[in-house]
Each structure stands twice: as structure tokens, then as C-alpha cells.
Amino acid sequence: MFGDNPRGLAGVSLDAGEPLILAAALCMAFYTVASRRLMRHDVSALANTAVVLTIGAVFLLPLAIAQAPNGPPAAPGPALALVALILGPTVIGYLAWNRATASIGVTEPNLFFNFIPVVTIVLSALQGQRPWPEQIVGAALVIAGVTLGMIRGGAARHHKRAPGVQPVH
């Protein structure tokens, strides 16, 4: 009923995708925190990425099967392109994340993940869509929170490496 309207959440009616987005955010938070404790530090970045992608595939497979179309695709080209779009950016993203956290730690990137909604608002505004007042207030809160976190937390002092990633020299 509300679709992608940001004011739709005020009615406490969620689309099917919102719980999945929340679950994805919780999984990334778990990966960031738990990987330091649970993953061995002598595991290569590629092996770490393979483990994470395998676990993700196992959990997403039931959702994919439930949403599968009734028949096979008309041609293999679109299916192969979809597989490449899914695997390529995912593998490259995790490898880049692990490489970056080896160099600068996890604190700074985690703080800046909060800017993703702000960047989305700015990009939408550049395309002619005016932001809602709630979005502007939210963006201001994000900027204030990240700034406060960097000032009070001393983000540069906490350099923790992701497991399996060697420091870059």
C-alpha cells in the first residue's frame, strides 16, 4: 500500500523487503563483530570471502526457491548475466572490504556506512526528486552522529583488522 514512500513507515505497514533489509544489516553487523572473534587470522581473504558467500547462499537459497518463476528462462544469456551481476560485485566487494580493513581497520568504514542513506538522498535530489523533511532531519542526525562518533570515539585509534587479511605495506 505504501510502496517505497518514506512516509509509509509512519503507518507501521511494512513491505516484504523491509524485514529482509533489516536482516541483511544485522548479518553485516554480526560479520563485522563476530569475524574478529570466530575466524582464524591465518585464513586468506579469498577463503574468508568463499565462506561468507557460501553461508549467504545457503540462507538465501530457500528465498530464491520460493520466489522462482514457473519455468526456465527463455534464453540462458539473461540468467548468466544475472549470475555475473550477483557474484562479481559480491566477491569484489568482500575482497575490497577485507583489503581496506587490513589497511585502516573497521571503525572508520563502519562509521561511514551510515552515510549510505545520505548519499541516496543527495543522488535522488540531483535527479530532481525533492527530499522529504523526514529525510533531511534523518540526514542531519546521521551527520551529527558520525561526527560525534569520530570525535568522542577517537576512530583513528582503533585499527582492528578483518580476519585473514594481512596488512598492506
Side-chain angles (χ1 to χ4, degrees), residues 28-120:
M28 188 62 191
F30 175 78
Y31 169 75
T32 301
V33 173
S35 65
R36 281 186 258 146
R37 294 187 182 118
L38 301 177
M39 193 79 134
R40 292 179 25 195
H41 292 285
D42 60 345
V43 175
S44 72
L46 191 57
N48 179 16
T49 302
V51 168
V52 169
L53 293 179
T54 302
I55 292 170
V58 166
F59 281 101
L60 289 174
L61 190 59
L63 294 171
I65 291 171
Q67 297 294 321
N70 293 333
L80 292 175
L82 184 60
V83 168
L85 283 172
I86 292 168
L87 290 180
T90 302
V91 170
I92 291 168
Y94 272 107
L95 290 174
W97 167 260
N98 288 332
R99 182 78 169 185
T101 57
S103 297
I104 62 173
V106 295
T107 305
E108 291 89 348
N110 281 341
L111 282 173
F112 287 104
F113 275 147
N114 295 309
F115 282 113
I116 292 172
V118 177
V119 171
T120 303

